Amino acid sequence: MTGSNELPLPGSEPDREPGVRTPTGLRYIWKQLIISKTGMFGAVLVLLVVLTAICAPLLASHDPAAVNPLNRLKPPAWLEGGSSEYWLGTDNLGRDMWSRIVYGARVSLIVGMGAVIVSGIIGAILGLLSGFYGKWIDAVIMRVGDAFMAIPTILFMLVVMAIVGPGITTLIFVIGVTNWVSYTRVVRSEVLSIKERDYVQAARSIGAKNARLIIRHIVPNILSSFIVISGMNVGTTIIMEASLSFLGLGIKPPDVSWGGMLSDGRQYVATSWWVATFPGLAITFTVLGVIFLGDWLRDVLDPRTDTTKK
C-alpha cells in the first residue's frame, strides 16, 4: 500500500492464490451477503434488534419501569387470563414485558458495542506495539496478557463491579478492560507477518519512519482481522453483561437489562414461565444473529473462502 506521491513498491499487495478474486467495495460485500443464507439471516436478526433499540419509545406500549401490582404476573395475550394490553404478559411487579424487552435491547447494544470499542482500542494498540517493535516491549505486553488470561474473567469482573459499583459506564469499562488480550494476540500475529513483507521492507529502505510504516502499510492490512474479531466479540460481551446483571452486579433499576429480567423471573419459571423465557429468547436470538453475521464477515473478508457454499 503506497501513498499517492510514491512509486508502487514490489509486493505491495498481500499474496493471493491464482484466480482468486479479491473482495473489493460495498457492492461486492452486498452481493456476497445476498448469496449467503447464514449471513443474511444474521444480518436480519441484528438489524431487527438495532431498529428495536432505536425505536424503543415508539414500540413500547408502557413505561418499562412502571409498577402495577394489580396486573402482577399476567400471562401473555394468547393464554387464558391474558390481555391484549400486555401481549407478552407482565412480570412479578406488574411491569409490561414487551416494553422492558424493547428497552433492554438498548442496554445490550450500548454495552456490547461500547465494551468492544474499549477492548478493541486497547488490544489493537498493544498488539501493534508488541508485533512491530518486539524485544522487551513484546515480552512485557505478552506476559501481562498471560496474567489476564490466568484470572477467571467473571471473577475479576465481579470483584471490580462490587468495589466500583454498578452502572452502564462502569460495566462497559470493566468488560472492555478484561477482553483486550484476544485483540492483542490477533493483531500481534498479523503484524509479525506483515512487517516482513517486501513492500514494508522497501518502504523502510527508502527512509519511511516507523509511524508511517504502521499507519500506511500495516494498519490497513490488519483491518479485516480486527473487524471480524470485533464483530464476534459483540455477542460475547452481550452475554457477559447479561451474566453480571443476572448476578445483581450489572445494570440496576430503573434501567432495564435482559439479564436482570432473567434474574427476576428465575423463581417463577414453574408458574409464570414467560417472565424468564422472553428475555432469554431475546438474548439468544441477538447473540445468534451476531455470531452468524460475524461468521459470514470472516468468510467474505478472506478471499480464499467461497461464500457461495453457505
Side-chain angles (χ1 to χ4, degrees), residues 76 78 87-89 97-98 101 258 261-262 273-283:
W78 60 87
W87 69 286
L88 287 186
M97 290 293 298
W98 165 249
I101 288 175
W258 290 338
M261 294 174 68
L262 277 175
W273 53 267
W274 57 88
V275 180
T277 300
F278 291 133
L281 289 175
I283 295 172

Side-chain angles (χ1 to χ4, degrees), residues 38-56:
T38 301
M40 180 57 71
F41 181 67
V44 169
L45 287 179
V46 172
L47 182 61
L48 285 176
V49 175
V50 171
L51 291 177
T52 299
I54 294 173
C55 302

Side-chain angles (χ1 to χ4, degrees), residues 14-268:
D15 295 335
R16 307 294 186 196
E17 293 182 2
V20 174
R21 180 181 178 182
T22 303
T24 55
L26 293 177
R27 181 178 297 179
Y28 173 84
I29 294 177
W30 173 250
K31 180 180 178 181
Q32 293 303 314
L33 181 61
I34 296 296
I35 293 173
S36 173
K37 296 179 181 178
T38 301
M40 180 57 71
F41 181 67
V44 169
L45 287 179
V46 172
L47 182 61
L48 285 176
V49 175
V50 171
L51 291 177
T52 299
I54 294 173
C55 302
L58 300 176
L59 295 175
S61 54
H62 296 80
D63 182 349
V67 176
N68 187 352
L70 296 178
N71 290 320
R72 181 175 179 270
L73 298 177
K74 184 178 288 293
W78 60 87
L79 297 180
E80 183 179 356
S83 169
S84 58
E85 184 179 0
Y86 304 100
W87 69 286
L88 287 186
T90 61
D91 65 5
N92 56 313
L93 296 178
R95 296 171 295 190
D96 180 44
M97 290 293 298
W98 165 249
S99 300
R100 291 177 63 76
I101 288 175
V102 167
Y103 273 91
R106 283 187 165 186
V107 172
S108 293
L109 290 180
I110 290 172
V111 174
M113 297 299 296
V116 164
I117 290 172
V118 172
S119 58
I121 291 174
I122 296 174
I125 292 174
L126 293 179
L128 284 169
L129 293 175
S130 178
F132 188 82
Y133 291 101
K135 299 181 180 179
W136 66 270
I137 297 178
D138 180 37
V140 170
I141 293 175
M142 286 298 98
R143 297 299 76 77
V144 173
D146 291 340
F148 265 83
M149 293 292 288
I151 302 173
T153 302
I154 190 67
L155 178 61
F156 178 79
M157 290 190 295
L158 285 173
V159 171
V160 174
M161 293 296 293
I163 295 174
V164 179
I168 293 180
T169 303
T170 303
L171 195 58
I172 290 173
F173 177 77
V174 170
I175 297 178
V177 168
T178 55
N179 285 281
W180 60 269
V181 180
S182 59
Y183 290 92
T184 299
R185 292 184 180 277
V186 170
V187 171
R188 173 181 178 270
S189 64
E190 293 279 340
V191 173
L192 287 174
S193 172
I194 294 171
K195 75 175 185 178
E196 300 299 331
R197 293 183 180 175
D198 293 339
Y199 60 92
V200 176
Q201 295 300 321
R204 189 191 299 274
S205 69
I206 61 176
K209 302 296 183 181
N210 288 339
R212 183 177 180 82
L213 291 176
I214 292 174
I215 295 173
R216 296 296 299 275
H217 299 288
I218 292 180
V219 170
N221 285 290
I222 66 173
L223 279 180
S224 60
S225 298
F226 181 81
I227 291 172
V228 168
I229 191 174
S230 296
M232 299 295 288
N233 277 347
V234 171
T236 303
T237 303
I238 291 174
I239 293 177
M240 287 183 177
E241 177 275 319
S243 300
L244 289 173
S245 297
F246 181 85
L247 296 173
L249 292 172
I251 305 300
K252 290 290 186 182
D255 294 322
V256 184
S257 165
W258 290 338
M261 294 174 68
L262 277 175
S263 180
D264 293 338
R266 58 183 170 178
Q267 57 183 320
Y268 301 102

